[in-house]
Amino acid sequence: MTAIWTDEQWAELERAACSPCKVDIRHFNRGAKLPHGLNVGHVAAAMNEFIDFISYIGLQLRAKNLSRLESMLMPANLSSMVGEFIGAAIPRHCPTIVRNQYHNGHPDLIPAGMFPRDAVQYAQEGVEIKASRYLKGWQGHNAEDAFLMVFCFDASRPVDRSKGIEPKPFRFLMATAAKLEKSDWTFAGRSETSRRTITAAVNNSGYKKMMSNWIYKASDLSQRQIDLVIRDEDA
């Protein structure tokens, strides 16, 4: 049976969900291999900066009886916001890497001072940032060599109330990264009637590279869950 809440009850649950927990440095892999002077401390600081941001915005919205961003934005838009924020935050903590100033340039982050005006349309040096609600199925528009960093998270959705799902605080589940090659991507097909943009997805060889170089795992994210993701890709 789908749970039903009054508006007052729902507002209180939404208010309680405005207090996400920060990531703990104890749950980071200090042996993770990261390029261009980047380390797990920089990544942790950027992730916690996002936690501060979404908590503050959530509380301000609730004070005006408005929905949190997680309960308002389409899932893809929230994922994009998480990735964009992290991409902007990392250079504030790591002086050897900067945001790529080229519009829609690849990758998102590049080594400081390597390119004129810190802008390049395409380069293999740097870090591409993505955020996802899922522990697999990470996609991009191009299958190419890149050092990819993915931030997996759990958050509310706009449809949760209609499905009887309580509001929940945003939290990061995992962060992982690896240098991927074109062979680590597979283009996803689409039906003749679909209007979805054709994308490439990280395949099993890519997952294994990224899972072996994990950066952060939530304390309740078990290795069994990770192993099931990889085995499912083998099926």
Side-chain angles (χ1 to χ4, degrees), residues 59-195:
L59 288 169
Q60 295 301 308
L61 289 171
R62 290 311 312 161
K64 299 293 185 180
N65 292 318
L66 297 172
S67 298
R68 292 175 300 136
L69 292 177
E70 305 95 295
S71 301
M72 183 191 315
L73 297 178
M74 292 177 61
N77 290 339
L78 180 62
S79 296
S80 178
M81 186 184 74
V82 176
E84 290 290 335
F85 190 102
I86 295 293
I90 285 177
R92 288 197 286 270
H93 302 282
C94 178
T96 56
I97 203 164
V98 296
R99 192 86 178 268
N100 188 350
Q101 297 301 304
Y102 196 98
H103 178 63
N104 287 335
H106 176 92
D108 298 308
L109 304 178
I110 55 178
M114 178 173 285
F115 302 99
R117 299 180 298 279
D118 291 325
V120 62
Q121 183 176 18
Y122 175 79
Q124 291 190 15
E125 300 85 357
V127 180
E128 181 74 358
I129 304 290
K130 294 192 180 299
S132 175
R133 291 176 179 269
Y134 305 105
L135 298 178
K136 62 178 182 178
W138 309 320
Q139 296 184 336
H141 292 294
N142 298 292
E144 53 198 349
D145 296 345
F147 190 94
L148 178 66
M149 186 179 296
V150 177
F151 294 84
C152 303
F153 65 90
D154 186 31
S156 297
R157 298 172 183 265
V159 298
D160 282 353
R161 186 173 184 178
S162 65
K163 292 185 175 182
I165 301 172
E166 287 191 14
K168 53 189 172 184
F170 177 99
R171 71 181 188 124
F172 284 107
L173 296 175
M174 182 173 67
T176 185
K179 177 69 174 180
L180 300 185
E181 301 173 351
K182 290 182 181 179
S183 59
D184 295 316
W185 298 84
T186 300
F187 276 104
R190 66 178 184 182
S191 68
E192 293 182 358
T193 58
S194 174
R195 294 174 57 84

